Amino acid sequence: MEKPLPRRLLLKLLGSRSGIKMDAASAVRVGALFGITENNMRVTLTLTRLQAAKLLNLIDRGFYTLGQQGQTLAKEVGTWRSVEQQVGPWQGEWVGLLTHTQAKRDRKAQRVTARALKMFGMQAITNDFYLRPNNFSAGVDYVRTHLHSLGVDISAPVFKVAQFDSDMEDKARNLWPVKELEAHYQQGILDIEQALDRLPELSLEDAAKESYLVGDSALQQLVFDPLLPAPLINESLRQAFRAKVQEYDQIGERIWLQFLHESR
């Protein structure tokens, strides 16, 4: 697994649970786990652009927490823990999004939109027309609200789609790499089971490092999972993988709380 970037490492750890704070000394010790130099960690903490972007806040006695924007992003990423509860039976309808209103030359907006679409599993069926199954219990409103909170321009229409002709319906149902997703669920379950078996044999430092790397890889898969419904995908297999990730996440949380406590 690749060494994490200092910025991403700090934001991920600070955003993993509410109320987490970290001082420079703890950040340096965290960086050392991954071979990141003390200078890199201190420079990352003090980057004015992170504070200007409201990703980080410097609070009393030299401790850092997530800023307002960092908290918003962490909240959206953190929905992986409960989002499965928002999924309901699929009635064959779709959620559509049109992006033709977005300025093509605004590269930052394009990147933000692309990430939001990926997080909600939306795939392009034609130019500027994206789809996902309408299988959230709260329907289109749920998707619209979260897409907008992730930065998609509010001028982009989000709406219910139904009654495609047979060719378009077939195309829509085959927009996602289902076999690849299911293979990742199966492999993910195996990887986490093996990681759980290793943890008792590791030192606190090694356990913290491994739990971050294994957990981060699994969370990336869940955060960007399209949450497809049956019969498009094996929902039970996805739910089994999610349950295994939650088990590992809870153990990893205890390891990191102990590590950060001993770093003070």
Side-chain angles (χ1 to χ4, degrees), residues 15 69-81 83 115 119-120 142-143 145-151 223:
Q69 184 61 25
Q71 292 173 21
T72 298
L73 292 173
K75 183 178 179 180
E76 285 294 344
V77 170
T79 58
W80 73 267
R81 295 184 178 88
V83 70
R115 179 178 174 81
M119 286 184 71
F120 260 79
Y142 180 88
V143 178
T145 298
H146 283 270
L147 286 175
H148 289 164
S149 72
L150 288 167
V223 167

mmCIF file with all atom_site columns, all heavy atoms in Angstrom, residues 15 69-81 83 115 119-120 142-143 145-151 223:
data_model
loop_
_atom_site.group_PDB
_atom_site.id
_atom_site.type_symbol
_atom_site.label_atom_id
_atom_site.label_alt_id
_atom_site.label_comp_id
_atom_site.label_asym_id
_atom_site.label_entity_id
_atom_site.label_seq_id
_atom_site.pdbx_PDB_ins_code
_atom_site.Cartn_x
_atom_site.Cartn_y
_atom_site.Cartn_z
_atom_site.occupancy
_atom_site.B_iso_or_equiv
_atom_site.pdbx_formal_charge
_atom_site.auth_seq_id
_atom_site.auth_comp_id
_atom_site.auth_asym_id
_atom_site.auth_atom_id
_atom_site.pdbx_PDB_model_num
ATOM 1   N N   . GLY A 1 15  ? -10.967 13.614 11.001 1.00 0.00 ? 15  GLY A N   1
ATOM 2   C CA  . GLY A 1 15  ? -12.363 13.470 10.613 1.00 0.00 ? 15  GLY A CA  1
ATOM 3   C C   . GLY A 1 15  ? -12.953 12.107 10.891 1.00 0.00 ? 15  GLY A C   1
ATOM 4   O O   . GLY A 1 15  ? -14.128 11.859 10.606 1.00 0.00 ? 15  GLY A O   1
ATOM 5   N N   . GLN A 1 69  ? -15.366 23.454 6.809  1.00 0.00 ? 69  GLN A N   1
ATOM 6   C CA  . GLN A 1 69  ? -15.438 22.709 5.553  1.00 0.00 ? 69  GLN A CA  1
ATOM 7   C C   . GLN A 1 69  ? -14.939 21.282 5.735  1.00 0.00 ? 69  GLN A C   1
ATOM 8   O O   . GLN A 1 69  ? -15.484 20.347 5.153  1.00 0.00 ? 69  GLN A O   1
ATOM 9   C CB  . GLN A 1 69  ? -14.619 23.425 4.471  1.00 0.00 ? 69  GLN A CB  1
ATOM 10  C CG  . GLN A 1 69  ? -14.708 22.783 3.082  1.00 0.00 ? 69  GLN A CG  1
ATOM 11  C CD  . GLN A 1 69  ? -16.125 22.761 2.529  1.00 0.00 ? 69  GLN A CD  1
ATOM 12  O OE1 . GLN A 1 69  ? -16.970 23.567 2.904  1.00 0.00 ? 69  GLN A OE1 1
ATOM 13  N NE2 . GLN A 1 69  ? -16.397 21.828 1.632  1.00 0.00 ? 69  GLN A NE2 1
ATOM 14  N N   . GLY A 1 70  ? -13.908 21.135 6.559  1.00 0.00 ? 70  GLY A N   1
ATOM 15  C CA  . GLY A 1 70  ? -13.410 19.792 6.848  1.00 0.00 ? 70  GLY A CA  1
ATOM 16  C C   . GLY A 1 70  ? -14.463 18.933 7.521  1.00 0.00 ? 70  GLY A C   1
ATOM 17  O O   . GLY A 1 70  ? -14.602 17.744 7.232  1.00 0.00 ? 70  GLY A O   1
ATOM 18  N N   . GLN A 1 71  ? -15.236 19.542 8.427  1.00 0.00 ? 71  GLN A N   1
ATOM 19  C CA  . GLN A 1 71  ? -16.309 18.814 9.102  1.00 0.00 ? 71  GLN A CA  1
ATOM 20  C C   . GLN A 1 71  ? -17.407 18.414 8.127  1.00 0.00 ? 71  GLN A C   1
ATOM 21  O O   . GLN A 1 71  ? -17.972 17.314 8.228  1.00 0.00 ? 71  GLN A O   1
ATOM 22  C CB  . GLN A 1 71  ? -16.890 19.674 10.220 1.00 0.00 ? 71  GLN A CB  1
ATOM 23  C CG  . GLN A 1 71  ? -15.947 19.914 11.383 1.00 0.00 ? 71  GLN A CG  1
ATOM 24  C CD  . GLN A 1 71  ? -16.502 20.910 12.387 1.00 0.00 ? 71  GLN A CD  1
ATOM 25  O OE1 . GLN A 1 71  ? -17.702 21.143 12.445 1.00 0.00 ? 71  GLN A OE1 1
ATOM 26  N NE2 . GLN A 1 71  ? -15.626 21.515 13.173 1.00 0.00 ? 71  GLN A NE2 1
ATOM 27  N N   . THR A 1 72  ? -17.709 19.298 7.172  1.00 0.00 ? 72  THR A N   1
ATOM 28  C CA  . THR A 1 72  ? -18.740 18.983 6.172  1.00 0.00 ? 72  THR A CA  1
ATOM 29  C C   . THR A 1 72  ? -18.320 17.779 5.335  1.00 0.00 ? 72  THR A C   1
ATOM 30  O O   . THR A 1 72  ? -19.110 16.854 5.110  1.00 0.00 ? 72  THR A O   1
ATOM 31  C CB  . THR A 1 72  ? -18.982 20.200 5.262  1.00 0.00 ? 72  THR A CB  1
ATOM 32  O OG1 . THR A 1 72  ? -19.460 21.282 6.055  1.00 0.00 ? 72  THR A OG1 1
ATOM 33  C CG2 . THR A 1 72  ? -20.017 19.877 4.186  1.00 0.00 ? 72  THR A CG2 1
ATOM 34  N N   . LEU A 1 73  ? -17.064 17.804 4.886  1.00 0.00 ? 73  LEU A N   1
ATOM 35  C CA  . LEU A 1 73  ? -16.570 16.690 4.077  1.00 0.00 ? 73  LEU A CA  1
ATOM 36  C C   . LEU A 1 73  ? -16.526 15.399 4.895  1.00 0.00 ? 73  LEU A C   1
ATOM 37  O O   . LEU A 1 73  ? -16.908 14.333 4.401  1.00 0.00 ? 73  LEU A O   1
ATOM 38  C CB  . LEU A 1 73  ? -15.184 17.022 3.532  1.00 0.00 ? 73  LEU A CB  1
ATOM 39  C CG  . LEU A 1 73  ? -15.118 18.148 2.502  1.00 0.00 ? 73  LEU A CG  1
ATOM 40  C CD1 . LEU A 1 73  ? -13.672 18.494 2.173  1.00 0.00 ? 73  LEU A CD1 1
ATOM 41  C CD2 . LEU A 1 73  ? -15.882 17.783 1.237  1.00 0.00 ? 73  LEU A CD2 1
ATOM 42  N N   . ALA A 1 74  ? -16.066 15.512 6.142  1.00 0.00 ? 74  ALA A N   1
ATOM 43  C CA  . ALA A 1 74  ? -15.989 14.326 6.998  1.00 0.00 ? 74  ALA A CA  1
ATOM 44  C C   . ALA A 1 74  ? -17.371 13.738 7.250  1.00 0.00 ? 74  ALA A C   1
ATOM 45  O O   . ALA A 1 74  ? -17.545 12.517 7.304  1.00 0.00 ? 74  ALA A O   1
ATOM 46  C CB  . ALA A 1 74  ? -15.313 14.677 8.320  1.00 0.00 ? 74  ALA A CB  1
ATOM 47  N N   . LYS A 1 75  ? -18.368 14.618 7.409  1.00 0.00 ? 75  LYS A N   1
ATOM 48  C CA  . LYS A 1 75  ? -19.732 14.151 7.635  1.00 0.00 ? 75  LYS A CA  1
ATOM 49  C C   . LYS A 1 75  ? -20.246 13.371 6.435  1.00 0.00 ? 75  LYS A C   1
ATOM 50  O O   . LYS A 1 75  ? -20.884 12.317 6.593  1.00 0.00 ? 75  LYS A O   1
ATOM 51  C CB  . LYS A 1 75  ? -20.646 15.339 7.921  1.00 0.00 ? 75  LYS A CB  1
ATOM 52  C CG  . LYS A 1 75  ? -22.087 14.956 8.234  1.00 0.00 ? 75  LYS A CG  1
ATOM 53  C CD  . LYS A 1 75  ? -22.933 16.182 8.547  1.00 0.00 ? 75  LYS A CD  1
ATOM 54  C CE  . LYS A 1 75  ? -24.373 15.795 8.837  1.00 0.00 ? 75  LYS A CE  1
ATOM 55  N NZ  . LYS A 1 75  ? -25.218 16.979 9.134  1.00 0.00 ? 75  LYS A NZ  1
ATOM 56  N N   . GLU A 1 76  ? -19.978 13.863 5.229  1.00 0.00 ? 76  GLU A N   1
ATOM 57  C CA  . GLU A 1 76  ? -20.433 13.167 4.029  1.00 0.00 ? 76  GLU A CA  1
ATOM 58  C C   . GLU A 1 76  ? -19.721 11.829 3.880  1.00 0.00 ? 76  GLU A C   1
ATOM 59  O O   . GLU A 1 76  ? -20.334 10.806 3.587  1.00 0.00 ? 76  GLU A O   1
ATOM 60  C CB  . GLU A 1 76  ? -20.193 14.033 2.791  1.00 0.00 ? 76  GLU A CB  1
ATOM 61  C CG  . GLU A 1 76  ? -21.170 15.189 2.639  1.00 0.00 ? 76  GLU A CG  1
ATOM 62  C CD  . GLU A 1 76  ? -22.599 14.731 2.376  1.00 0.00 ? 76  GLU A CD  1
ATOM 63  O OE1 . GLU A 1 76  ? -22.804 13.556 2.012  1.00 0.00 ? 76  GLU A OE1 1
ATOM 64  O OE2 . GLU A 1 76  ? -23.514 15.539 2.563  1.00 0.00 ? 76  GLU A OE2 1
ATOM 65  N N   . VAL A 1 77  ? -18.401 11.832 4.100  1.00 0.00 ? 77  VAL A N   1
ATOM 66  C CA  . VAL A 1 77  ? -17.644 10.581 4.010  1.00 0.00 ? 77  VAL A CA  1
ATOM 67  C C   . VAL A 1 77  ? -18.112 9.599  5.078  1.00 0.00 ? 77  VAL A C   1
ATOM 68  O O   . VAL A 1 77  ? -18.249 8.398  4.827  1.00 0.00 ? 77  VAL A O   1
ATOM 69  C CB  . VAL A 1 77  ? -16.131 10.857 4.154  1.00 0.00 ? 77  VAL A CB  1
ATOM 70  C CG1 . VAL A 1 77  ? -15.355 9.548  4.299  1.00 0.00 ? 77  VAL A CG1 1
ATOM 71  C CG2 . VAL A 1 77  ? -15.615 11.632 2.943  1.00 0.00 ? 77  VAL A CG2 1
ATOM 72  N N   . GLY A 1 78  ? -18.417 10.124 6.280  1.00 0.00 ? 78  GLY A N   1
ATOM 73  C CA  . GLY A 1 78  ? -18.818 9.277  7.392  1.00 0.00 ? 78  GLY A CA  1
ATOM 74  C C   . GLY A 1 78  ? -20.184 8.637  7.255  1.00 0.00 ? 78  GLY A C   1
ATOM 75  O O   . GLY A 1 78  ? -20.542 7.758  8.041  1.00 0.00 ? 78  GLY A O   1
ATOM 76  N N   . THR A 1 79  ? -20.946 9.042  6.236  1.00 0.00 ? 79  THR A N   1
ATOM 77  C CA  . THR A 1 79  ? -22.265 8.433  6.053  1.00 0.00 ? 79  THR A CA  1
ATOM 78  C C   . THR A 1 79  ? -22.176 6.958  5.685  1.00 0.00 ? 79  THR A C   1
ATOM 79  O O   . THR A 1 79  ? -23.191 6.255  5.733  1.00 0.00 ? 79  THR A O   1
ATOM 80  C CB  . THR A 1 79  ? -23.078 9.167  4.964  1.00 0.00 ? 79  THR A CB  1
ATOM 81  O OG1 . THR A 1 79  ? -22.357 9.139  3.725  1.00 0.00 ? 79  THR A OG1 1
ATOM 82  C CG2 . THR A 1 79  ? -23.353 10.608 5.356  1.00 0.00 ? 79  THR A CG2 1
ATOM 83  N N   . TRP A 1 80  ? -20.964 6.462  5.313  1.00 0.00 ? 80  TRP A N   1
ATOM 84  C CA  . TRP A 1 80  ? -20.840 5.051  4.974  1.00 0.00 ? 80  TRP A CA  1
ATOM 85  C C   . TRP A 1 80  ? -21.316 4.156  6.114  1.00 0.00 ? 80  TRP A C   1
ATOM 86  O O   . TRP A 1 80  ? -21.777 3.033  5.878  1.00 0.00 ? 80  TRP A O   1
ATOM 87  C CB  . TRP A 1 80  ? -19.391 4.709  4.625  1.00 0.00 ? 80  TRP A CB  1
ATOM 88  C CG  . TRP A 1 80  ? -18.448 4.669  5.801  1.00 0.00 ? 80  TRP A CG  1
ATOM 89  C CD1 . TRP A 1 80  ? -17.679 5.685  6.276  1.00 0.00 ? 80  TRP A CD1 1
ATOM 90  C CD2 . TRP A 1 80  ? -18.190 3.536  6.649  1.00 0.00 ? 80  TRP A CD2 1
ATOM 91  N NE1 . TRP A 1 80  ? -16.958 5.276  7.374  1.00 0.00 ? 80  TRP A NE1 1
ATOM 92  C CE2 . TRP A 1 80  ? -17.246 3.960  7.625  1.00 0.00 ? 80  TRP A CE2 1
ATOM 93  C CE3 . TRP A 1 80  ? -18.654 2.225  6.688  1.00 0.00 ? 80  TRP A CE3 1
ATOM 94  C CZ2 . TRP A 1 80  ? -16.775 3.107  8.612  1.00 0.00 ? 80  TRP A CZ2 1
ATOM 95  C CZ3 . TRP A 1 80  ? -18.184 1.371  7.677  1.00 0.00 ? 80  TRP A CZ3 1
ATOM 96  C CH2 . TRP A 1 80  ? -17.253 1.817  8.624  1.00 0.00 ? 80  TRP A CH2 1
ATOM 97  N N   . ARG A 1 81  ? -21.221 4.660  7.369  1.00 0.00 ? 81  ARG A N   1
ATOM 98  C CA  . ARG A 1 81  ? -21.597 3.834  8.515  1.00 0.00 ? 81  ARG A CA  1
ATOM 99  C C   . ARG A 1 81  ? -23.102 3.582  8.584  1.00 0.00 ? 81  ARG A C   1
ATOM 100 O O   . ARG A 1 81  ? -23.528 2.585  9.152  1.00 0.00 ? 81  ARG A O   1
ATOM 101 C CB  . ARG A 1 81  ? -21.130 4.487  9.819  1.00 0.00 ? 81  ARG A CB  1
ATOM 102 C CG  . ARG A 1 81  ? -19.614 4.585  9.958  1.00 0.00 ? 81  ARG A CG  1
ATOM 103 C CD  . ARG A 1 81  ? -19.215 5.149  11.323 1.00 0.00 ? 81  ARG A CD  1
ATOM 104 N NE  . ARG A 1 81  ? -17.773 5.198  11.470 1.00 0.00 ? 81  ARG A NE  1
ATOM 105 C CZ  . ARG A 1 81  ? -17.016 6.223  11.097 1.00 0.00 ? 81  ARG A CZ  1
ATOM 106 N NH1 . ARG A 1 81  ? -17.588 7.307  10.574 1.00 0.00 ? 81  ARG A NH1 1
ATOM 107 N NH2 . ARG A 1 81  ? -15.714 6.183  11.254 1.00 0.00 ? 81  ARG A NH2 1
ATOM 108 N N   . VAL A 1 83  ? -25.407 4.582  5.752  1.00 0.00 ? 83  VAL A N   1
ATOM 109 C CA  . VAL A 1 83  ? -26.117 4.798  4.493  1.00 0.00 ? 83  VAL A CA  1
ATOM 110 C C   . VAL A 1 83  ? -26.908 3.569  4.051  1.00 0.00 ? 83  VAL A C   1
ATOM 111 O O   . VAL A 1 83  ? -27.943 3.690  3.390  1.00 0.00 ? 83  VAL A O   1
ATOM 112 C CB  . VAL A 1 83  ? -25.133 5.238  3.379  1.00 0.00 ? 83  VAL A CB  1
ATOM 113 C CG1 . VAL A 1 83  ? -24.222 4.084  2.964  1.00 0.00 ? 83  VAL A CG1 1
ATOM 114 C CG2 . VAL A 1 83  ? -25.880 5.806  2.180  1.00 0.00 ? 83  VAL A CG2 1
ATOM 115 N N   . ARG A 1 115 ? -16.229 14.190 -8.368 1.00 0.00 ? 115 ARG A N   1
ATOM 116 C CA  . ARG A 1 115 ? -16.098 13.451 -7.110 1.00 0.00 ? 115 ARG A CA  1
ATOM 117 C C   . ARG A 1 115 ? -17.467 13.173 -6.503 1.00 0.00 ? 115 ARG A C   1
ATOM 118 O O   . ARG A 1 115 ? -17.727 12.064 -6.020 1.00 0.00 ? 115 ARG A O   1
ATOM 119 C CB  . ARG A 1 115 ? -15.236 14.245 -6.123 1.00 0.00 ? 115 ARG A CB  1
ATOM 120 C CG  . ARG A 1 115 ? -15.065 13.551 -4.770 1.00 0.00 ? 115 ARG A CG  1
ATOM 121 C CD  . ARG A 1 115 ? -14.154 14.356 -3.851 1.00 0.00 ? 115 ARG A CD  1
ATOM 122 N NE  . ARG A 1 115 ? -14.092 13.772 -2.515 1.00 0.00 ? 115 ARG A NE  1
ATOM 123 C CZ  . ARG A 1 115 ? -13.341 12.753 -2.160 1.00 0.00 ? 115 ARG A CZ  1
ATOM 124 N NH1 . ARG A 1 115 ? -12.555 12.174 -3.048 1.00 0.00 ? 115 ARG A NH1 1
ATOM 125 N NH2 . ARG A 1 115 ? -13.350 12.283 -0.919 1.00 0.00 ? 115 ARG A NH2 1
ATOM 126 N N   . MET A 1 119 ? -19.094 9.556  -5.712 1.00 0.00 ? 119 MET A N   1
ATOM 127 C CA  . MET A 1 119 ? -19.530 9.165  -4.374 1.00 0.00 ? 119 MET A CA  1
ATOM 128 C C   . MET A 1 119 ? -20.967 8.669  -4.365 1.00 0.00 ? 119 MET A C   1
ATOM 129 O O   . MET A 1 119 ? -21.337 7.853  -3.516 1.00 0.00 ? 119 MET A O   1
ATOM 130 C CB  . MET A 1 119 ? -19.374 10.340 -3.405 1.00 0.00 ? 119 MET A CB  1
ATOM 131 C CG  . MET A 1 119 ? -17.941 10.628 -3.007 1.00 0.00 ? 119 MET A CG  1
ATOM 132 S SD  . MET A 1 119 ? -17.780 11.947 -1.767 1.00 0.00 ? 119 MET A SD  1
ATOM 133 C CE  . MET A 1 119 ? -18.434 11.117 -0.302 1.00 0.00 ? 119 MET A CE  1
ATOM 134 N N   . PHE A 1 120 ? -21.771 9.135  -5.301 1.00 0.00 ? 120 PHE A N   1
ATOM 135 C CA  . PHE A 1 120 ? -23.160 8.682  -5.363 1.00 0.00 ? 120 PHE A CA  1
ATOM 136 C C   . PHE A 1 120 ? -23.404 7.657  -6.461 1.00 0.00 ? 120 PHE A C   1
ATOM 137 O O   . PHE A 1 120 ? -24.548 7.343  -6.776 1.00 0.00 ? 120 PHE A O   1
ATOM 138 C CB  . PHE A 1 120 ? -24.114 9.875  -5.492 1.00 0.00 ? 120 PHE A CB  1
ATOM 139 C CG  . PHE A 1 120 ? -24.723 10.231 -4.175 1.00 0.00 ? 120 PHE A CG  1
ATOM 140 C CD1 . PHE A 1 120 ? -24.000 10.971 -3.253 1.00 0.00 ? 120 PHE A CD1 1
ATOM 141 C CD2 . PHE A 1 120 ? -25.966 9.764  -3.807 1.00 0.00 ? 120 PHE A CD2 1
ATOM 142 C CE1 . PHE A 1 120 ? -24.530 11.260 -2.001 1.00 0.00 ? 120 PHE A CE1 1
ATOM 143 C CE2 . PHE A 1 120 ? -26.504 10.044 -2.568 1.00 0.00 ? 120 PHE A CE2 1
ATOM 144 C CZ  . PHE A 1 120 ? -25.787 10.795 -1.664 1.00 0.00 ? 120 PHE A CZ  1
ATOM 145 N N   . TYR A 1 142 ? -33.214 12.869 -1.400 1.00 0.00 ? 142 TYR A N   1
ATOM 146 C CA  . TYR A 1 142 ? -32.010 12.448 -0.674 1.00 0.00 ? 142 TYR A CA  1
ATOM 147 C C   . TYR A 1 142 ? -30.780 12.641 -1.551 1.00 0.00 ? 142 TYR A C   1
ATOM 148 O O   . TYR A 1 142 ? -29.760 13.190 -1.101 1.00 0.00 ? 142 TYR A O   1
ATOM 149 C CB  . TYR A 1 142 ? -32.147 10.983 -0.269 1.00 0.00 ? 142 TYR A CB  1
ATOM 150 C CG  . TYR A 1 142 ? -30.962 10.434 0.494  1.00 0.00 ? 142 TYR A CG  1
ATOM 151 C CD1 . TYR A 1 142 ? -30.889 10.541 1.881  1.00 0.00 ? 142 TYR A CD1 1
ATOM 152 C CD2 . TYR A 1 142 ? -29.920 9.787  -0.168 1.00 0.00 ? 142 TYR A CD2 1
ATOM 153 C CE1 . TYR A 1 142 ? -29.811 10.040 2.588  1.00 0.00 ? 142 TYR A CE1 1
ATOM 154 C CE2 . TYR A 1 142 ? -28.826 9.283  0.530  1.00 0.00 ? 142 TYR A CE2 1
ATOM 155 C CZ  . TYR A 1 142 ? -28.783 9.406  1.895  1.00 0.00 ? 142 TYR A CZ  1
ATOM 156 O OH  . TYR A 1 142 ? -27.696 8.898  2.592  1.00 0.00 ? 142 TYR A OH  1
ATOM 157 N N   . VAL A 1 143 ? -30.863 12.200 -2.781 1.00 0.00 ? 143 VAL A N   1
ATOM 158 C CA  . VAL A 1 143 ? -29.728 12.323 -3.706 1.00 0.00 ? 143 VAL A CA  1
ATOM 159 C C   . VAL A 1 143 ? -29.447 13.789 -4.001 1.00 0.00 ? 143 VAL A C   1
ATOM 160 O O   . VAL A 1 143 ? -28.294 14.239 -3.976 1.00 0.00 ? 143 VAL A O   1
ATOM 161 C CB  . VAL A 1 143 ? -30.005 11.548 -5.009 1.00 0.00 ? 143 VAL A CB  1
ATOM 162 C CG1 . VAL A 1 143 ? -28.841 11.707 -5.993 1.00 0.00 ? 143 VAL A CG1 1
ATOM 163 C CG2 . VAL A 1 143 ? -30.255 10.069 -4.711 1.00 0.00 ? 143 VAL A CG2 1
ATOM 164 N N   . THR A 1 145 ? -30.123 16.516 -2.243 1.00 0.00 ? 145 THR A N   1
ATOM 165 C CA  . THR A 1 145 ? -29.562 17.218 -1.088 1.00 0.00 ? 145 THR A CA  1
ATOM 166 C C   . THR A 1 145 ? -28.088 16.902 -0.909 1.00 0.00 ? 145 THR A C   1
ATOM 167 O O   . THR A 1 145 ? -27.259 17.800 -0.675 1.00 0.00 ? 145 THR A O   1
ATOM 168 C CB  . THR A 1 145 ? -30.339 16.841 0.188  1.00 0.00 ? 145 THR A CB  1
ATOM 169 O OG1 . THR A 1 145 ? -31.697 17.254 0.051  1.00 0.00 ? 145 THR A OG1 1
ATOM 170 C CG2 . THR A 1 145 ? -29.726 17.498 1.413  1.00 0.00 ? 145 THR A CG2 1
ATOM 171 N N   . HIS A 1 146 ? -27.734 15.643 -1.016 1.00 0.00 ? 146 HIS A N   1
ATOM 172 C CA  . HIS A 1 146 ? -26.343 15.258 -0.786 1.00 0.00 ? 146 HIS A CA  1
ATOM 173 C C   . HIS A 1 146 ? -25.430 15.674 -1.936 1.00 0.00 ? 146 HIS A C   1
ATOM 174 O O   . HIS A 1 146 ? -24.279 16.062 -1.699 1.00 0.00 ? 146 HIS A O   1
ATOM 175 C CB  . HIS A 1 146 ? -26.261 13.759 -0.522 1.00 0.00 ? 146 HIS A CB  1
ATOM 176 C CG  . HIS A 1 146 ? -26.688 13.380 0.861  1.00 0.00 ? 146 HIS A CG  1
ATOM 177 N ND1 . HIS A 1 146 ? -25.820 13.307 1.919  1.00 0.00 ? 146 HIS A ND1 1
ATOM 178 C CD2 . HIS A 1 146 ? -27.918 13.096 1.360  1.00 0.00 ? 146 HIS A CD2 1
ATOM 179 C CE1 . HIS A 1 146 ? -26.479 12.971 3.014  1.00 0.00 ? 146 HIS A CE1 1
ATOM 180 N NE2 . HIS A 1 146 ? -27.760 12.837 2.696  1.00 0.00 ? 146 HIS A NE2 1
ATOM 181 N N   . LEU A 1 147 ? -25.913 15.613 -3.158 1.00 0.00 ? 147 LEU A N   1
ATOM 182 C CA  . LEU A 1 147 ? -25.101 16.093 -4.274 1.00 0.00 ? 147 LEU A CA  1
ATOM 183 C C   . LEU A 1 147 ? -24.789 17.575 -4.108 1.00 0.00 ? 147 LEU A C   1
ATOM 184 O O   . LEU A 1 147 ? -23.656 18.018 -4.332 1.00 0.00 ? 147 LEU A O   1
ATOM 185 C CB  . LEU A 1 147 ? -25.812 15.846 -5.607 1.00 0.00 ? 147 LEU A CB  1
ATOM 186 C CG  . LEU A 1 147 ? -25.852 14.404 -6.111 1.00 0.00 ? 147 LEU A CG  1
ATOM 187 C CD1 . LEU A 1 147 ? -26.703 14.309 -7.370 1.00 0.00 ? 147 LEU A CD1 1
ATOM 188 C CD2 . LEU A 1 147 ? -24.446 13.870 -6.384 1.00 0.00 ? 147 LEU A CD2 1
ATOM 189 N N   . HIS A 1 148 ? -25.783 18.355 -3.722 1.00 0.00 ? 148 HIS A N   1
ATOM 190 C CA  . HIS A 1 148 ? -25.565 19.787 -3.527 1.00 0.00 ? 148 HIS A CA  1
ATOM 191 C C   . HIS A 1 148 ? -24.617 20.047 -2.356 1.00 0.00 ? 148 HIS A C   1
ATOM 192 O O   . HIS A 1 148 ? -23.761 20.939 -2.429 1.00 0.00 ? 148 HIS A O   1
ATOM 193 C CB  . HIS A 1 148 ? -26.890 20.507 -3.296 1.00 0.00 ? 148 HIS A CB  1
ATOM 194 C CG  . HIS A 1 148 ? -27.736 20.578 -4.525 1.00 0.00 ? 148 HIS A CG  1
ATOM 195 N ND1 . HIS A 1 148 ? -29.081 20.885 -4.496 1.00 0.00 ? 148 HIS A ND1 1
ATOM 196 C CD2 . HIS A 1 148 ? -27.435 20.373 -5.849 1.00 0.00 ? 148 HIS A CD2 1
ATOM 197 C CE1 . HIS A 1 148 ? -29.570 20.870 -5.729 1.00 0.00 ? 148 HIS A CE1 1
ATOM 198 N NE2 . HIS A 1 148 ? -28.595 20.560 -6.560 1.00 0.00 ? 148 HIS A NE2 1
ATOM 199 N N   . SER A 1 149 ? -24.732 19.261 -1.282 1.00 0.00 ? 149 SER A N   1
ATOM 200 C CA  . SER A 1 149 ? -23.831 19.456 -0.140 1.00 0.00 ? 149 SER A CA  1
ATOM 201 C C   . SER A 1 149 ? -22.402 19.088 -0.497 1.00 0.00 ? 149 SER A C   1
ATOM 202 O O   . SER A 1 149 ? -21.451 19.600 0.112  1.00 0.00 ? 149 SER A O   1
ATOM 203 C CB  . SER A 1 149 ? -24.300 18.626 1.058  1.00 0.00 ? 149 SER A CB  1
ATOM 204 O OG  . SER A 1 149 ? -24.069 17.251 0.852  1.00 0.00 ? 149 SER A OG  1
ATOM 205 N N   . LEU A 1 150 ? -22.238 18.232 -1.494 1.00 0.00 ? 150 LEU A N   1
ATOM 206 C CA  . LEU A 1 150 ? -20.904 17.850 -1.952 1.00 0.00 ? 150 LEU A CA  1
ATOM 207 C C   . LEU A 1 150 ? -20.345 18.814 -2.996 1.00 0.00 ? 150 LEU A C   1
ATOM 208 O O   . LEU A 1 150 ? -19.219 18.630 -3.455 1.00 0.00 ? 150 LEU A O   1
ATOM 209 C CB  . LEU A 1 150 ? -20.941 16.429 -2.533 1.00 0.00 ? 150 LEU A CB  1
ATOM 210 C CG  . LEU A 1 150 ? -21.097 15.306 -1.507 1.00 0.00 ? 150 LEU A CG  1
ATOM 211 C CD1 . LEU A 1 150 ? -21.431 13.989 -2.198 1.00 0.00 ? 150 LEU A CD1 1
ATOM 212 C CD2 . LEU A 1 150 ? -19.822 15.156 -0.667 1.00 0.00 ? 150 LEU A CD2 1
ATOM 213 N N   . GLY A 1 151 ? -21.109 19.824 -3.349 1.00 0.00 ? 151 GLY A N   1
ATOM 214 C CA  . GLY A 1 151 ? -20.581 20.860 -4.225 1.00 0.00 ? 151 GLY A CA  1
ATOM 215 C C   . GLY A 1 151 ? -21.145 20.919 -5.623 1.00 0.00 ? 151 GLY A C   1
ATOM 216 O O   . GLY A 1 151 ? -20.741 21.781 -6.415 1.00 0.00 ? 151 GLY A O   1
ATOM 217 N N   . VAL A 1 223 ? -17.040 4.229  0.535  1.00 0.00 ? 223 VAL A N   1
ATOM 218 C CA  . VAL A 1 223 ? -17.430 5.619  0.274  1.00 0.00 ? 223 VAL A CA  1
ATOM 219 C C   . VAL A 1 223 ? -17.837 5.804  -1.186 1.00 0.00 ? 223 VAL A C   1
ATOM 220 O O   . VAL A 1 223 ? -18.767 6.556  -1.494 1.00 0.00 ? 223 VAL A O   1
ATOM 221 C CB  . VAL A 1 223 ? -16.284 6.573  0.647  1.00 0.00 ? 223 VAL A CB  1
ATOM 222 C CG1 . VAL A 1 223 ? -16.536 7.982  0.103  1.00 0.00 ? 223 VAL A CG1 1
ATOM 223 C CG2 . VAL A 1 223 ? -16.119 6.642  2.159  1.00 0.00 ? 223 VAL A CG2 1
#
